[in-house]
Amino acid sequence: MPVTIRDVASDAGVSVATVSRALSGNGHVGPATRDRIAEAARRLGYQPNDLARSLHGGATGTIAVLVPDITNPFFPELVAGIQAVANEQENLLLLCQTGEDPTTAVRELRHLRRKRVDGVVLVGGLPATDDLGAAVGDLPVVTVDRDAGWPASWSVRADHRGGGRMATEHLVELGHEQIAHIAGPAALTVAQERLAGHREALQASGIEPDESLVVHGDFGEAGGYDALRTLLRRRREFTAVFCSNDLAAVGALRALDEAGFRVPDDVSLVGFDDIHLARYLRPSLTTVRQPIHELGRRAATLLLEAAVGSRPEQHDVLDVELVRRDSTRPVRRGR
């Protein structure tokens, strides 16, 4: 039979209510009594019932993360950062996949509230609908890579606009002027910011942005492949391509190879994220590195502090850096 709170109370010679106060930290219990109860619980092997504790207004020690697509290598690395902090704080982490579908997100959030999780890390660009806001309710929520301020008072993101500038500036420094951009989904803030940074870098270099050299993809390999083929069908000259994420760059690399273009001899290629795969491509991918693991750690830390009411509103923006590898080189004139 499992050890109950009544067994602990009997062993320690106190009431059940006193044991409850001592173990939950709510209410006054003298130091000597608290020590006696803790010793009794340890000796008997008592494990608190998290559901019962939650029904009395306490924490369950469970948090959740909602991600768009667990098959995208960016998100497992992000979740690993969240998991690391959850482990350090002895919290259970639940993982849900939304597919960027608002209906799925609403259903999962409602389910998580019924499970009485202590808070949620919400990842991605889900639209700020009334249904989503209602599903969140009073749950502490930390958002990652979405508009700061809704629906959460806490958010973490990378400097996407700065990263877009960084990637394009690198290509301009190599002498490229005809630079194509495979952007992410037009509705996503991170894709908009990376595109804005790309345009800013062109304009700052005296290069007029050419909208015919911009194609929106879906942040996946197939999307990058299709977007590069669209660029080729437009028959517009380009010597470099900045892809809005590394998976799109993988697809673009395949499409360039099939069309007879060599990277970087004929076309330079830059990605964004620095997923683990980027360094093992041939050629290895020049990319903008996000601190993916740190994004997860920072989000989890904010969430656990917010869940106990010890964190005021906070919106963190983490720096990115350019990682130069083999997929870029100075432009070849007279192609």
Side-chain angles (χ1 to χ4, degrees):
M1 293 289 291
V3 177
T4 69
I5 194 171
R6 293 184 182 278
D7 296 326
V8 176
S10 176
D11 188 89
V14 297
S15 69
V16 170
T18 300
V19 173
S20 179
R21 288 197 303 273
L23 296 181
S24 68
N26 297 321
H28 175 71
V29 177
T33 302
R34 188 182 299 276
D35 289 345
R36 192 165 72 251
I37 291 170
E39 173 58 25
R42 185 199 61 76
R43 185 172 59 255
L44 296 174
Y46 173 69
Q47 295 293 324
N49 185 314
D50 286 342
L51 177 59
R53 184 170 59 190
S54 72
L55 292 173
H56 287 86
T60 63
T62 303
I63 60 174
V65 55
L66 272 66
V67 300
D69 178 13
I70 199 61
T71 66
N72 182 326
F74 175 90
F75 296 112
E77 188 170 347
L78 180 79
V79 171
I82 298 171
Q83 182 74 69
V85 173
N87 289 346
E88 291 165 7
Q89 300 297 319
E90 298 185 349
N91 275 251
L92 175 68
L93 178 66
L94 303 180
L95 173 63
C96 305
Q97 179 176 259
T98 66
E100 292 286 20
D101 175 38
T103 301
T104 300
V106 167
R107 183 183 68 242
E108 296 294 339
L109 283 166
R110 287 173 176 165
H111 186 64
L112 291 169
R113 287 183 68 192
R114 288 196 297 271
K115 292 294 185 182
R116 298 182 180 273
V117 298
D118 297 332
V120 173
V121 176
L122 183 61
V123 184
L126 291 165
T129 64
D130 291 341
D131 286 344
L132 187 63
V136 168
D138 58 358
L139 268 179
V141 172
V142 174
T143 61
V144 178
D145 278 349
R146 62 172 299 130
D147 291 333
W150 195 97
S153 295
W154 307 275
S155 67
V156 183
R157 63 184 182 88
D159 182 7
H160 301 289
R161 185 182 294 252
R165 284 195 304 270
M166 196 177 290
T168 303
E169 287 169 353
H170 171 62
L171 292 170
V172 171
E173 289 168 0
L174 293 175
H176 296 278
E177 297 179 359
Q178 296 158 308
I179 304 172
H181 179 47
I182 296 177
L188 295 188
T189 301
V190 295
Q192 295 166 8
E193 291 183 351
R194 293 173 193 178
L195 175 56
H198 166 68
R199 287 171 173 156
E200 288 172 1
L202 291 177
Q203 291 169 339
S205 302
I207 301 172
E208 185 64 29
D210 183 349
E211 293 307 311
S212 69
L213 291 179
V214 176
V215 180
H216 287 273
D218 62 1
F219 278 154
E221 300 102 313
Y225 177 87
D226 291 341
L228 198 285
R229 287 172 60 86
T230 297
L231 284 169
L232 293 175
R233 286 195 298 269
R234 291 178 180 176
R235 299 186 181 279
R236 297 302 302 270
E237 186 82 5
F238 59 88
T239 62
V241 183
F242 163 40
C243 296
S244 198
N245 75 330
D246 289 346
L247 285 185
V250 172
L253 183 63
R254 172 67 181 273
L256 286 166
D257 180 67
E258 289 181 354
F261 291 91
R262 295 169 299 171
V263 175
D265 293 343
D266 300 322
V267 177
S268 286
L269 188 66
V270 178
F272 199 113
D273 286 339
D274 195 28
I275 60 175
H276 191 66
L277 175 65
R279 70 204 66 178
Y280 295 108
L281 293 174
R282 285 295 176 266
S284 57
L285 185 64
T286 295
T287 187
V288 175
R289 175 182 292 158
Q290 291 198 70
I292 305 173
H293 194 270
E294 179 58 25
L295 283 167
R297 287 193 61 90
R298 189 75 61 91
T301 300
L302 283 178
L303 181 65
L304 292 173
E305 292 176 354
V308 297
S310 64
R311 170 61 64 179
E313 181 171 324
Q314 182 169 329
H315 303 291
D316 291 347
V317 180
L318 304 190
D319 291 335
V320 298
E321 62 176 314
L322 182 73
V323 180
R324 294 173 175 83
R325 296 197 179 102
D326 298 332
S327 65
T328 53
R329 58 162 290 169
V331 67
R332 294 174 61 187
R333 299 296 180 186
R335 243 186 58 189

